[in-house]
Amino acid sequence: MRLPGGTPPALLFLALCVWRLVPRRDAAGTEEVVYGEVGESILLLCRNVSKEATEVVWFQGDPQSVPPLFSSKVTFPQDVRFSLVDNSSLHITELRPQDEGNYTCKEVLNKTDHEHRVELLVANPPWSSPKCWAGTSSSGQMLQLFCSWPGGYPHPTLHWREDGGDLENTSWVISSTNSADIHVETLNSSRLSHRKVFKCVGSHVVKQEEPACTVEIKIPSLESEPLKTCLVGEDVTLTCRVTESTPPARLTWLQGIAQPEVEIKPGGRYLITQEGNVSQLTIRNCSQGADGGCYVCKAQNPVGLREVFVCLTVKQPVNIIGIVGAVVVLSLLAILLISGIILYYHPLLCLRGTAFRNQDSNDVLVLVDSEEDDEGKGEEEIIGSSTKHEVMALVNGNSILNHLTEGDDGEQHGGVSPQETRREDTPVT
């Protein structure tokens, strides 16, 4: 089969393919990637400009499908933030995220078009410094180092270092993962030591400095009350506190020193609670035979482990009512004994107390009444002689000594003690 003019179909198809592969114009193009920071200014250079160029045109996007953004001959004042420098380079002020994209600089010559493509990435550096912390793998045996530096675009680059060298190049790194703005290193715990320091260094395309953060790993340190007491039938709580541990330690309770690997599980009479770095073991309804003894609080992290002992003594409850009754009885016996001693050795104290309570009465109590006769006189002389009566009375609580002399005529003469003059209106019986 031949086409009109005698041209074979195969030759025509070959000519069409060659025409599509060969550019219709001589074009020389270059490419580069530049970064700009939000709010700052940037200058996009048109690097493929010749002196013979009659016109330089900038496009944002594909030159074949978008209108010109700026031209050295024609001004397109769509955005005042755009301007030309040296009649070729594009200057953009107050960069915005939407300014990101591909820009093409194209010079127009009489015979060829030279192009220079620029990929502009508008970056936003992180607003804070990197943060580091240490954790434990799900198995509890490996150390994980976390480094986070959020808020930047594009994502920053994070590296863990140890003793000045890059940690990723060491043999004890099990795995290394990156997720958005977080970099995680998983290490084997066989080479870890107390107070070893790791450093995370961050870098970003629009930041010259490299901020860093550090993590110091530590073996757990514990404190607790070494001795606790519980009464039979009551509840008791044992407390264990972690004072320092990096990464955080896992706290467990063990019963008995002979079998330290028997872990106490919550349930039944045992209640285990943990808030932060404090763990509490509560034993309900204490039993003297089952609960007495020492308990072990164990704290463990990939760096090491520590244990502390808490010894529990279970006692029988004390009979408070019996003790109070015994104290009351002993107190009454002591009062009775003291009263008996006082009455036995000092009976007048009781009488004086009675007199003081009856000072307003006119009763007189005669304590002594004695008669003395002169020796050597006969019965015939008794009538003519005088008899002395000595009376001592207690009048309204006052002692009165009265000497009475009785003569032959029956008259009595006596002398009254000074105490009597104070109470002359009181009769004496």
Side-chain angles (χ1 to χ4, degrees):
M1 176 180 175
R2 289 179 176 273
L3 295 176
T7 304
L11 294 177
L12 180 61
F13 179 76
L14 179 61
L16 290 174
C17 291
V18 171
W19 177 79
R20 290 184 60 87
L21 290 176
V22 176
R24 287 173 292 180
R25 298 180 181 179
D26 284 334
T30 56
E31 296 182 355
E32 67 174 332
V33 179
V34 296
Y35 289 92
E37 186 174 350
V38 174
E40 300 295 331
S41 300
I42 193 169
L43 183 64
L44 305 182
L45 300 178
C46 189
R47 299 184 182 277
N48 200 13
V49 179
S50 60
K51 296 180 179 180
E52 294 82 6
T54 59
E55 183 181 0
V56 174
V57 183
W58 280 93
F59 299 86
Q60 186 178 9
D62 186 6
Q64 306 298 328
S65 59
V66 297
L69 178 67
F70 225 95
S71 173
S72 60
K73 287 187 176 182
V74 182
T75 302
F76 303 94
Q78 298 177 355
D79 195 333
V80 296
R81 298 181 301 115
F82 294 85
S83 62
L84 284 179
V85 177
D86 295 334
N87 206 31
S88 61
S89 299
L90 181 63
H91 184 255
I92 306 174
T93 61
E94 299 179 3
L95 276 176
R96 302 171 184 174
Q98 56 266 28
D99 295 332
E100 183 175 280
N102 294 319
Y103 291 81
T104 301
C105 166
K106 188 175 182 180
E107 67 174 6
V108 179
L109 297 176
N110 294 330
K111 297 181 179 181
T112 61
D113 293 341
H114 290 191
E115 294 183 355
H116 177 64
R117 289 178 292 275
V118 179
E119 183 180 0
L120 173 62
L121 299 178
V122 180
N124 187 19
W127 55 270
S128 61
S129 299
K131 294 183 179 179
C132 304
W133 68 92
T136 306
S137 64
S138 57
S139 63
Q141 301 298 324
M142 293 175 289
L143 175 69
Q144 289 185 318
L145 299 176
F146 296 84
C147 184
S148 175
W149 197 17
Y153 176 81
H155 297 305
T157 303
L158 302 172
H159 297 281
W160 277 103
R161 296 178 181 177
E162 183 263 335
D163 292 336
D166 198 350
L167 191 61
E168 282 84 351
N169 298 329
T170 59
S171 59
W172 59 339
V173 175
I174 298 177
S175 64
S176 178
T177 59
N178 288 283
S179 176
D181 300 323
I182 300 179
H183 181 63
V184 183
E185 295 283 352
T186 303
L187 309 180
N188 193 336
S189 59
S190 60
R191 296 178 57 184
L192 300 179
S193 59
H194 182 54
R195 294 194 177 278
K196 191 173 187 63
V197 178
F198 296 92
K199 182 179 182 180
C200 176
V201 180
S203 60
H204 196 266
V205 292
V206 293
K207 291 183 73 69
Q208 296 181 354
E209 65 275 9
E210 293 185 343
C213 58
T214 59
V215 170
E216 183 181 17
I217 59 176
K218 300 176 184 178
I219 297 177
S221 180
L222 294 173
E223 66 177 16
S224 66
E225 301 179 54
L227 300 176
K228 293 288 289 186
T229 303
C230 177
L231 298 178
V232 174
E234 294 185 354
D235 299 345
V236 66
T237 299
L238 311 182
T239 303
C240 180
R241 180 180 293 101
V242 179
T243 56
E244 70 172 3
S245 177
T246 305
R250 177 178 178 266
L251 289 170
T252 55
W253 287 92
L254 313 174
Q255 186 175 15
I257 303 178
Q259 296 178 344
E261 299 302 324
V262 179
E263 182 178 343
I264 299 176
K265 300 294 184 180
R269 296 189 305 112
Y270 298 106
L271 174 64
I272 299 177
T273 59
Q274 182 169 344
E275 294 183 2
N277 59 344
V278 178
S279 178
Q280 291 183 329
L281 169 63
T282 300
I283 304 174
R284 299 189 179 98
N285 192 15
C286 284
S287 173
Q288 195 168 17
D291 300 324
C294 290
Y295 293 79
V296 180
C297 175
K298 183 173 74 172
Q300 184 175 8
N301 66 8
V303 188
L305 66 89
R306 290 282 174 84
E307 295 178 346
V308 65
F309 295 94
V310 181
C311 294
L312 176 63
T313 303
V314 182
K315 297 182 178 180
Q316 291 289 342
V318 181
N319 188 359
I320 303 299
I321 299 177
I323 294 177
V324 173
V327 171
V328 172
V329 171
L330 291 176
S331 300
L332 293 176
L333 291 176
I335 293 173
L336 293 176
L337 179 61
I338 295 173
S339 301
I341 293 174
I342 292 175
L343 291 175
Y344 181 78
Y345 288 102
H346 299 283
L348 293 179
L349 294 176
C350 182
L351 296 176
R352 288 182 179 178
T354 304
F356 288 137
R357 289 193 299 271
N358 300 297
Q359 287 184 359
D360 295 337
S361 65
N362 296 324
D363 297 336
V364 178
L365 178 63
V366 178
L367 299 179
V368 179
D369 187 1
S370 63
E371 181 180 335
E372 295 180 1
D373 296 336
D374 296 336
E375 296 181 359
K377 292 185 180 181
E379 292 179 356
E380 67 278 2
E381 295 178 356
I382 294 175
I383 300 173
S385 63
S386 62
T387 302
K388 295 181 179 180
H389 299 277
E390 183 177 355
V391 178
M392 182 170 62
L394 183 65
V395 180
N396 289 341
N398 297 321
S399 299
I400 301 174
L401 183 59
N402 189 7
H403 299 277
L404 298 179
T405 304
E406 186 176 350
D408 295 338
D409 54 358
E411 295 180 355
Q412 296 180 352
H413 306 278
V416 181
S417 63
Q419 291 84 347
E420 187 179 2
T421 59
R422 301 175 185 175
R423 298 294 298 266
E424 293 179 355
D425 57 342
T426 304
V428 179
T429 60

